[in-house]
Amino acid sequence: MKVAVLGYGTVGFGVVEMLKKAEGLEPGPVLVRPGKDDEPFKVTSMEAITEDPSVDVVAEVMGGVEPAFSYACAALKAGKHFVTSNKALVAAKGPELAKLAEENHVAFLFSAACGGGVPFLHNLSLAVQSDEILSVGGILNGTTNYMLDQMQSTGMSYADALSDAQKLGYAEADPTADVTGLDALRKIMLACAVAFEVLPVEGLLHEGIDSFSAADSSYIQSKGFACRLIASGGKAENGSVYAYVEPVLFDSSAAERSVLKNFNMAKYNGKNAGRIVMIGQGAGRWPTASAVLRDCSDICSGRRIMMKPSCKAGSADNSACVHRYLVRVPADVALPLPIKEKEAVGESCYLITDAVSVQAMHEAAKALRENGASVFFAAIGE
Amino acid sequence: MKVAVLGYGTVGFGVVEMLKKAEGLEPGPVLVRPGKDDEPFKVTSMEAITEDPSVDVVAEVMGGVEPAFSYACAALKAGKHFVTSNKALVAAKGPELAKLAEENHVAFLFSAACGGGVPFLHNLSLAVQSDEILSVGGILNGTTNYMLDQMQSTGMSYADALSDAQKLGYAEADPTADVTGLDALRKIMLACAVAFEVLPVEGLLHEGIDSFSAADSSYIQSKGFACRLIASGGKAENGSVYAYVEPVLFDSSAAERSVLKNFNMAKYNGKNAGRIVMIGQGAGRWPTASAVLRDCSDICSGRRIMMKPSCKAGSADNSACVHRYLVRVPADVALPLPIKEKEAVGESCYLITDAVSVQAMHEAAKALRENGASVFFAAIGE
């Protein structure tokens, strides 16, 4: 099968190089910006790809919703299989693309959009066919995991950890989506869409690591904890889907603590399979390219569906998910949640709440911040 | 697709129940022993399955090489896809079955034979198509992991841990294959066959946990280590395949230490994907049945090949794999290997070797044991 590639940046280059060596696959034309077509295999118009009858698969690795969405529609309508690493695209337009793929009898796969090199969505979509998935989640953002690991293993400040992550190419020039948890949220949206046939687009909650300080790091370590940024999704007992991102504290027995540097850990819990955990590199040229290539090989083998065409956009309900939380607030600020323990440290106060809902915790933090208070919170992992 | 099941024990029952609910799959006839056919869906002759045109897939979960091998051949020759959880069968007859499946244009998949519920071989066989696999391995035997975890977390003796594992149904009445490492060895043979197109059947080395005592457990813990039974396979620089099983000691930073109870941890290292780790339940009715079902769903999607028809039986060469080892010998016995450290504990002596080959270590232990000495050894994990 011949695979056309949209984008020739870090990942695109990796995809083309891997296609040259892969069984049953070969690289086709590569779409680049006008003026960048300095080699014969590069083209500057999408038509050159959709109208090329030798192209079987279009692999998009440009990022962003547009023009990626228009290109995806054009590829699917032209009867080309479509593979993407673009989580923003799938989070915004996944169900539409899944329907379009079905109508045109072609594949729509997006393993590389969640977990980088970790074959998480691939396995999840296969497990769904014969098992009931109860929950999904894990460490889905490598940039913040790298920063948290640096801060906790060396005592580095948040600003230094961010600057380090940028120097290493893990964090974008604008790291907002990573550090606020939005990137991890998009990934858990995709996992929910695959696992539960609902792409949650409302009622979502995300807390990142941008309130986590070196002082917080040293406090939680003194209590035997380590902090990771965790995305969680699942089916609540009332049938609704929950989906949220927040920092979580783990004690020394937790496998999450062994996930270091920019690694990801993705999990699902199947009614029959039990808990399945996958760890690997969450980003980078070759891990991401390898996920794109696995999807292409999977199309060779006959696979067509990752998100079912019946998948619909819907609301998340995080009111039934409860955790105890560690919360840092200024010493003179009261947290309007049931408190079990309290410890003053300098001008801050660390509180441990009773079990409260994710909804209640995120709303309380938001209200305090609107009043100008600096707040850090993290769920206490069970 | 209709799936006939060979065997109606723990796993067979699980497979039939899961088939009733799976998308695109339904249970067909179930082969049982004569006299056990007390329900209409049970049959006692393989012909009733091979001659039933409504059967698309045969799933074998009986175990043992015969009659499973004859049944597998009959199923493949009759044009039925063949799925198995039987590692002894695939380790003994895999390449023959892979060729027979190709000749008859049907699938031969065996995910459930390695890692239980962990979708290891499935992902490995997909990764092989576009990535170069450098190494495979991990904790592939749940029974011994459960025993090691019990001994190290509670100080339990080997005999008590074994008896516990038997009570819980993890260990067979005859636990030899588990505790000597033979079961894990068969699994790494399969992983090598999938990853490297060589099923190593000679030159293999396996050391189990049957020499590990409560005193060893307490000694290694005092040094900050924990012991796991690790299967290792890979491609050496000279192109030969290595494959061996032995206890390995891990310090507190290792992810292996968080693999508790009867869980498995399977890993591969891809040139592009990097290190991919998968953790899940290695055995039990539902995890194993879920792996069988995933293979069936995968056949629905078009997949046919796990072990390539070009895979050949071959020799392993473990002479180029080197580790430092911790070795316990009787105080009056000399170990004919280069020693770096030495500590006497009662009538035993714990030694730490220089880096020596796996081959040399296993042979030295064998020679000492032939002279009646009690020896425990474990590689020191890097």
Side-chain angles (χ1 to χ4, degrees), chain B residues 251-299:
Chain B
D251 69 20
S252 61
S253 68
E256 281 79 358
R257 285 184 73 139
S258 65
V259 181
L260 306 176
K261 297 183 185 163
N262 65 334
F263 274 67
N264 276 203
M265 170 194 255
K267 298 200 275 195
Y268 69 82
N269 194 6
K271 193 171 175 185
N272 294 299
R275 184 165 54 91
I276 301 282
V277 181
M278 302 185 179
I279 303 170
Q281 287 193 57
R285 166 177 286 169
W286 300 111
T288 307
S290 76
V292 171
L293 267 280
R294 271 199 312 260
D295 277 354
C296 294
S297 293
D298 215 18
I299 292 173

Short mmCIF file of all heavy atoms in Angstrom, two decimals, chain B residues 251-299:
data_model
loop_
_atom_site.label_atom_id
_atom_site.label_comp_id
_atom_site.label_asym_id
_atom_site.label_seq_id
_atom_site.Cartn_x
_atom_site.Cartn_y
_atom_site.Cartn_z
N ASP B 251 16.73 -2.85 41.83
CA ASP B 251 16.74 -1.85 42.90
C ASP B 251 15.43 -1.07 42.88
O ASP B 251 14.54 -1.33 42.06
CB ASP B 251 17.98 -0.95 42.80
CG ASP B 251 17.93 -0.04 41.60
OD1 ASP B 251 16.84 0.21 41.05
OD2 ASP B 251 19.00 0.45 41.20
N SER B 252 15.30 -0.11 43.79
CA SER B 252 13.98 0.47 44.04
C SER B 252 13.46 1.32 42.89
O SER B 252 12.29 1.66 42.84
CB SER B 252 14.03 1.32 45.31
OG SER B 252 14.97 2.36 45.13
N SER B 253 14.31 1.66 41.91
CA SER B 253 13.84 2.50 40.81
C SER B 253 13.19 1.68 39.70
O SER B 253 12.61 2.24 38.77
CB SER B 253 15.01 3.29 40.22
OG SER B 253 15.90 2.39 39.57
N ALA B 254 13.27 0.36 39.78
CA ALA B 254 12.84 -0.47 38.65
C ALA B 254 11.33 -0.68 38.65
O ALA B 254 10.72 -0.96 39.68
CB ALA B 254 13.54 -1.82 38.70
N ALA B 255 10.75 -0.56 37.46
CA ALA B 255 9.31 -0.77 37.30
C ALA B 255 8.92 -2.21 37.63
O ALA B 255 7.80 -2.47 38.07
CB ALA B 255 8.88 -0.42 35.89
N GLU B 256 9.85 -3.14 37.46
CA GLU B 256 9.56 -4.54 37.74
C GLU B 256 9.10 -4.75 39.18
O GLU B 256 8.34 -5.67 39.48
CB GLU B 256 10.80 -5.41 37.49
CG GLU B 256 11.07 -5.75 36.03
CD GLU B 256 11.73 -4.61 35.26
OE1 GLU B 256 11.95 -3.52 35.85
OE2 GLU B 256 12.01 -4.80 34.07
N ARG B 257 9.59 -3.90 40.08
CA ARG B 257 9.23 -4.07 41.50
C ARG B 257 7.78 -3.78 41.77
O ARG B 257 7.24 -4.22 42.79
CB ARG B 257 10.10 -3.14 42.35
CG ARG B 257 11.48 -3.68 42.47
CD ARG B 257 12.30 -2.83 43.36
NE ARG B 257 11.97 -2.97 44.75
CZ ARG B 257 12.87 -3.02 45.71
NH1 ARG B 257 14.14 -2.99 45.40
NH2 ARG B 257 12.51 -3.09 46.97
N SER B 258 7.14 -3.00 40.89
CA SER B 258 5.72 -2.70 41.12
C SER B 258 4.82 -3.77 40.52
O SER B 258 3.60 -3.66 40.59
CB SER B 258 5.38 -1.32 40.57
OG SER B 258 5.53 -1.32 39.17
N VAL B 259 5.41 -4.80 39.94
CA VAL B 259 4.61 -5.91 39.38
C VAL B 259 4.42 -6.94 40.49
O VAL B 259 5.35 -7.65 40.85
CB VAL B 259 5.30 -6.52 38.14
CG1 VAL B 259 4.44 -7.64 37.57
CG2 VAL B 259 5.54 -5.44 37.11
N LEU B 260 3.21 -6.95 41.06
CA LEU B 260 2.95 -7.74 42.25
C LEU B 260 2.01 -8.90 41.93
O LEU B 260 1.55 -9.06 40.81
CB LEU B 260 2.35 -6.85 43.34
CG LEU B 260 3.18 -5.59 43.69
CD1 LEU B 260 2.45 -4.73 44.72
CD2 LEU B 260 4.56 -5.99 44.21
N LYS B 261 1.78 -9.72 42.93
CA LYS B 261 0.83 -10.85 42.84
C LYS B 261 1.12 -11.68 41.57
O LYS B 261 2.26 -11.91 41.24
CB LYS B 261 -0.60 -10.33 42.88
CG LYS B 261 -0.89 -9.63 44.22
CD LYS B 261 -2.30 -9.18 44.33
CE LYS B 261 -2.47 -8.40 45.63
NZ LYS B 261 -3.68 -7.60 45.64
N ASN B 262 0.05 -12.08 40.90
CA ASN B 262 0.25 -12.97 39.74
C ASN B 262 0.29 -12.19 38.43
O ASN B 262 -0.04 -12.74 37.38
CB ASN B 262 -0.85 -14.02 39.69
CG ASN B 262 -2.21 -13.39 39.45
OD1 ASN B 262 -2.43 -12.22 39.79
ND2 ASN B 262 -3.13 -14.13 38.87
N PHE B 263 0.68 -10.91 38.49
CA PHE B 263 0.72 -10.10 37.27
C PHE B 263 1.93 -10.45 36.40
O PHE B 263 2.93 -10.97 36.89
CB PHE B 263 0.70 -8.61 37.62
CG PHE B 263 -0.70 -8.09 37.79
CD1 PHE B 263 -1.49 -8.52 38.85
CD2 PHE B 263 -1.25 -7.20 36.88
CE1 PHE B 263 -2.81 -8.06 39.00
CE2 PHE B 263 -2.55 -6.74 37.02
CZ PHE B 263 -3.33 -7.16 38.08
N ASN B 264 1.79 -10.15 35.14
CA ASN B 264 2.88 -10.29 34.17
C ASN B 264 3.29 -8.90 33.69
O ASN B 264 2.49 -7.96 33.74
CB ASN B 264 2.41 -11.08 32.93
CG ASN B 264 2.48 -12.59 33.10
OD1 ASN B 264 2.54 -13.32 32.14
ND2 ASN B 264 2.43 -13.06 34.34
N MET B 265 4.54 -8.78 33.27
CA MET B 265 5.02 -7.56 32.62
C MET B 265 5.82 -7.99 31.39
O MET B 265 6.85 -8.63 31.52
CB MET B 265 5.95 -6.80 33.56
CG MET B 265 6.69 -5.65 32.87
SD MET B 265 8.05 -5.03 33.87
CE MET B 265 7.36 -3.51 34.46
N ALA B 266 5.30 -7.66 30.23
CA ALA B 266 5.97 -8.07 28.99
C ALA B 266 6.49 -6.82 28.29
O ALA B 266 5.83 -5.78 28.29
CB ALA B 266 4.99 -8.82 28.09
N LYS B 267 7.68 -6.92 27.73
CA LYS B 267 8.33 -5.76 27.13
C LYS B 267 8.87 -6.09 25.75
O LYS B 267 9.27 -7.22 25.50
CB LYS B 267 9.56 -5.36 27.97
CG LYS B 267 9.26 -4.95 29.36
CD LYS B 267 10.41 -4.14 29.93
CE LYS B 267 11.50 -5.02 30.51
NZ LYS B 267 12.41 -4.24 31.38
N TYR B 268 8.89 -5.09 24.90
CA TYR B 268 9.75 -5.20 23.73
C TYR B 268 10.44 -3.88 23.51
O TYR B 268 9.99 -2.84 23.98
CB TYR B 268 9.01 -5.69 22.48
CG TYR B 268 8.00 -4.76 21.86
CD1 TYR B 268 8.41 -3.74 20.99
CD2 TYR B 268 6.65 -4.91 22.10
CE1 TYR B 268 7.48 -2.90 20.38
CE2 TYR B 268 5.71 -4.08 21.50
CZ TYR B 268 6.13 -3.06 20.65
OH TYR B 268 5.21 -2.23 20.06
N ASN B 269 11.57 -3.95 22.85
CA ASN B 269 12.33 -2.75 22.55
C ASN B 269 12.42 -2.65 21.04
O ASN B 269 13.01 -3.50 20.39
CB ASN B 269 13.71 -2.86 23.20
CG ASN B 269 14.43 -1.52 23.22
OD1 ASN B 269 13.85 -0.49 22.86
ND2 ASN B 269 15.68 -1.53 23.63
N GLY B 270 11.76 -1.64 20.49
CA GLY B 270 11.78 -1.45 19.04
C GLY B 270 12.77 -0.36 18.69
O GLY B 270 12.94 0.60 19.44
N LYS B 271 13.44 -0.51 17.55
CA LYS B 271 14.43 0.49 17.14
C LYS B 271 13.77 1.86 17.06
O LYS B 271 14.34 2.87 17.47
CB LYS B 271 15.00 0.10 15.79
CG LYS B 271 16.23 0.86 15.41
CD LYS B 271 16.87 0.27 14.16
CE LYS B 271 18.04 1.15 13.74
NZ LYS B 271 18.60 0.67 12.46
N ASN B 272 12.53 1.94 16.58
CA ASN B 272 11.83 3.21 16.47
C ASN B 272 10.89 3.48 17.64
O ASN B 272 10.89 4.57 18.19
CB ASN B 272 11.04 3.26 15.16
CG ASN B 272 11.96 3.26 13.95
OD1 ASN B 272 12.75 4.17 13.78
ND2 ASN B 272 11.88 2.22 13.15
N ALA B 273 10.09 2.51 18.00
CA ALA B 273 9.09 2.73 19.07
C ALA B 273 9.75 2.91 20.43
O ALA B 273 9.17 3.49 21.33
CB ALA B 273 8.10 1.57 19.12
N GLY B 274 10.99 2.42 20.58
CA GLY B 274 11.63 2.44 21.89
C GLY B 274 11.08 1.30 22.73
O GLY B 274 10.55 0.32 22.22
N ARG B 275 11.19 1.47 24.06
CA ARG B 275 10.80 0.41 24.99
C ARG B 275 9.30 0.49 25.23
O ARG B 275 8.80 1.53 25.66
CB ARG B 275 11.56 0.64 26.30
CG ARG B 275 11.35 -0.40 27.35
CD ARG B 275 12.41 -0.30 28.44
NE ARG B 275 12.51 1.04 29.03
CZ ARG B 275 11.82 1.44 30.11
NH1 ARG B 275 11.01 0.61 30.73
NH2 ARG B 275 11.97 2.66 30.59
N ILE B 276 8.59 -0.58 24.94
CA ILE B 276 7.14 -0.66 25.19
C ILE B 276 6.93 -1.74 26.25
O ILE B 276 7.38 -2.87 26.10
CB ILE B 276 6.38 -1.04 23.90
CG1 ILE B 276 6.63 -0.02 22.80
CG2 ILE B 276 4.89 -1.22 24.19
CD1 ILE B 276 5.86 1.26 22.89
N VAL B 277 6.24 -1.37 27.34
CA VAL B 277 6.03 -2.27 28.47
C VAL B 277 4.53 -2.50 28.63
O VAL B 277 3.76 -1.53 28.58
CB VAL B 277 6.57 -1.63 29.77
CG1 VAL B 277 6.38 -2.57 30.96
CG2 VAL B 277 8.03 -1.23 29.62
N MET B 278 4.12 -3.72 28.85
CA MET B 278 2.71 -4.02 29.08
C MET B 278 2.55 -4.86 30.34
O MET B 278 3.25 -5.85 30.52
CB MET B 278 2.15 -4.82 27.90
CG MET B 278 2.32 -4.08 26.60
SD MET B 278 1.54 -4.93 25.26
CE MET B 278 1.93 -3.74 23.98
N ILE B 279 1.62 -4.43 31.18
CA ILE B 279 1.41 -5.11 32.46
C ILE B 279 -0.05 -5.54 32.55
O ILE B 279 -0.94 -4.76 32.19
CB ILE B 279 1.75 -4.17 33.63
CG1 ILE B 279 3.19 -3.66 33.51
CG2 ILE B 279 1.54 -4.88 34.97
CD1 ILE B 279 3.53 -2.55 34.49
N GLY B 280 -0.29 -6.74 33.02
CA GLY B 280 -1.67 -7.20 33.19
C GLY B 280 -1.66 -8.57 33.82
O GLY B 280 -0.60 -9.12 34.15
N GLN B 281 -2.86 -9.14 33.97
CA GLN B 281 -2.95 -10.45 34.60
C GLN B 281 -2.48 -11.53 33.63
O GLN B 281 -2.97 -11.63 32.52
CB GLN B 281 -4.36 -10.71 35.06
CG GLN B 281 -4.69 -9.86 36.28
CD GLN B 281 -5.95 -10.31 36.96
OE1 GLN B 281 -6.07 -11.46 37.35
NE2 GLN B 281 -6.88 -9.39 37.09
N GLY B 282 -1.53 -12.32 34.12
CA GLY B 282 -0.89 -13.30 33.26
C GLY B 282 -1.64 -14.59 33.11
O GLY B 282 -1.30 -15.42 32.27
N ALA B 283 -2.67 -14.80 33.90
CA ALA B 283 -3.38 -16.08 33.85
C ALA B 283 -4.77 -15.90 34.43
O ALA B 283 -5.15 -14.81 34.83
CB ALA B 283 -2.60 -17.14 34.62
N GLY B 284 -5.51 -16.97 34.46
CA GLY B 284 -6.86 -16.92 35.00
C GLY B 284 -7.88 -17.00 33.88
O GLY B 284 -7.58 -16.71 32.72
N ARG B 285 -9.10 -17.43 34.23
CA ARG B 285 -10.14 -17.66 33.23
C ARG B 285 -10.38 -16.45 32.33
O ARG B 285 -10.27 -16.54 31.12
CB ARG B 285 -11.45 -18.03 33.93
CG ARG B 285 -12.66 -17.95 33.00
CD ARG B 285 -13.93 -18.39 33.70
NE ARG B 285 -13.93 -19.84 33.85
CZ ARG B 285 -14.79 -20.50 34.61
NH1 ARG B 285 -15.70 -19.84 35.31
NH2 ARG B 285 -14.75 -21.81 34.68
N TRP B 286 -10.74 -15.32 32.95
CA TRP B 286 -11.20 -14.20 32.14
C TRP B 286 -10.09 -13.48 31.40
O TRP B 286 -10.25 -13.14 30.21
CB TRP B 286 -12.07 -13.25 32.99
CG TRP B 286 -13.27 -13.95 33.53
CD1 TRP B 286 -13.51 -14.28 34.84
CD2 TRP B 286 -14.38 -14.50 32.79
NE1 TRP B 286 -14.69 -14.97 34.96
CE2 TRP B 286 -15.25 -15.12 33.72
CE3 TRP B 286 -14.71 -14.52 31.44
CZ2 TRP B 286 -16.44 -15.75 33.33
CZ3 TRP B 286 -15.89 -15.14 31.05
CH2 TRP B 286 -16.74 -15.74 31.99
N PRO B 287 -8.94 -13.22 32.05
CA PRO B 287 -7.85 -12.60 31.29
C PRO B 287 -7.42 -13.46 30.09
O PRO B 287 -7.22 -12.94 28.98
CB PRO B 287 -6.73 -12.46 32.31
CG PRO B 287 -7.46 -12.33 33.61
CD PRO B 287 -8.63 -13.27 33.49
N THR B 288 -7.29 -14.78 30.30
CA THR B 288 -6.86 -15.63 29.19
C THR B 288 -7.93 -15.70 28.12
O THR B 288 -7.64 -15.61 26.92
CB THR B 288 -6.50 -17.04 29.72
OG1 THR B 288 -5.55 -16.90 30.78
CG2 THR B 288 -5.88 -17.89 28.62
N ALA B 289 -9.20 -15.85 28.56
CA ALA B 289 -10.28 -15.88 27.58
C ALA B 289 -10.33 -14.58 26.79
O ALA B 289 -10.57 -14.58 25.58
CB ALA B 289 -11.62 -16.12 28.28
N SER B 290 -10.06 -13.46 27.46
CA SER B 290 -10.11 -12.17 26.74
C SER B 290 -9.03 -12.10 25.67
O SER B 290 -9.23 -11.49 24.62
CB SER B 290 -10.01 -11.00 27.72
OG SER B 290 -8.69 -10.83 28.16
N ALA B 291 -7.88 -12.73 25.92
CA ALA B 291 -6.83 -12.76 24.89
C ALA B 291 -7.25 -13.63 23.71
O ALA B 291 -7.00 -13.28 22.55
CB ALA B 291 -5.52 -13.29 25.50
N VAL B 292 -7.91 -14.75 23.97
CA VAL B 292 -8.42 -15.61 22.89
C VAL B 292 -9.45 -14.82 22.07
O VAL B 292 -9.42 -14.84 20.84
CB VAL B 292 -9.06 -16.89 23.47
CG1 VAL B 292 -9.79 -17.68 22.38
CG2 VAL B 292 -8.01 -17.75 24.16
N LEU B 293 -10.32 -14.10 22.77
CA LEU B 293 -11.35 -13.33 22.07
C LEU B 293 -10.75 -12.21 21.23
O LEU B 293 -11.23 -11.91 20.14
CB LEU B 293 -12.34 -12.75 23.09
CG LEU B 293 -13.60 -13.57 23.40
CD1 LEU B 293 -14.65 -13.36 22.31
CD2 LEU B 293 -13.30 -15.04 23.59
N ARG B 294 -9.70 -11.55 21.76
CA ARG B 294 -9.06 -10.49 20.97
C ARG B 294 -8.52 -11.03 19.66
O ARG B 294 -8.64 -10.39 18.61
CB ARG B 294 -7.93 -9.83 21.77
CG ARG B 294 -8.38 -8.65 22.63
CD ARG B 294 -7.19 -7.79 23.01
NE ARG B 294 -6.11 -8.61 23.51
CZ ARG B 294 -5.82 -8.80 24.79
NH1 ARG B 294 -6.51 -8.19 25.73
NH2 ARG B 294 -4.83 -9.56 25.14
N ASP B 295 -7.92 -12.24 19.73
CA ASP B 295 -7.43 -12.85 18.49
C ASP B 295 -8.59 -13.14 17.54
O ASP B 295 -8.45 -12.94 16.32
CB ASP B 295 -6.69 -14.16 18.80
CG ASP B 295 -5.23 -13.93 19.21
OD1 ASP B 295 -4.76 -12.78 19.13
OD2 ASP B 295 -4.57 -14.91 19.59
N CYS B 296 -9.70 -13.61 18.07
CA CYS B 296 -10.87 -13.89 17.20
C CYS B 296 -11.36 -12.59 16.55
O CYS B 296 -11.65 -12.55 15.35
CB CYS B 296 -12.00 -14.53 18.00
SG CYS B 296 -11.62 -16.18 18.62
N SER B 297 -11.45 -11.51 17.35
CA SER B 297 -11.88 -10.22 16.80
C SER B 297 -10.90 -9.74 15.74
O SER B 297 -11.29 -9.14 14.73
CB SER B 297 -11.96 -9.16 17.90
OG SER B 297 -12.99 -9.47 18.79
N ASP B 298 -9.62 -10.01 15.99
CA ASP B 298 -8.59 -9.59 15.07
C ASP B 298 -8.72 -10.34 13.74
O ASP B 298 -8.45 -9.78 12.67
CB ASP B 298 -7.22 -9.88 15.71
CG ASP B 298 -6.19 -8.83 15.36
OD1 ASP B 298 -6.57 -7.73 14.94
OD2 ASP B 298 -4.99 -9.12 15.53
N ILE B 299 -9.15 -11.59 13.80
CA ILE B 299 -9.39 -12.35 12.56
C ILE B 299 -10.57 -11.72 11.81
O ILE B 299 -10.52 -11.56 10.59
CB ILE B 299 -9.64 -13.84 12.87
CG1 ILE B 299 -8.36 -14.48 13.40
CG2 ILE B 299 -10.14 -14.58 11.63
CD1 ILE B 299 -8.52 -15.90 13.91
#
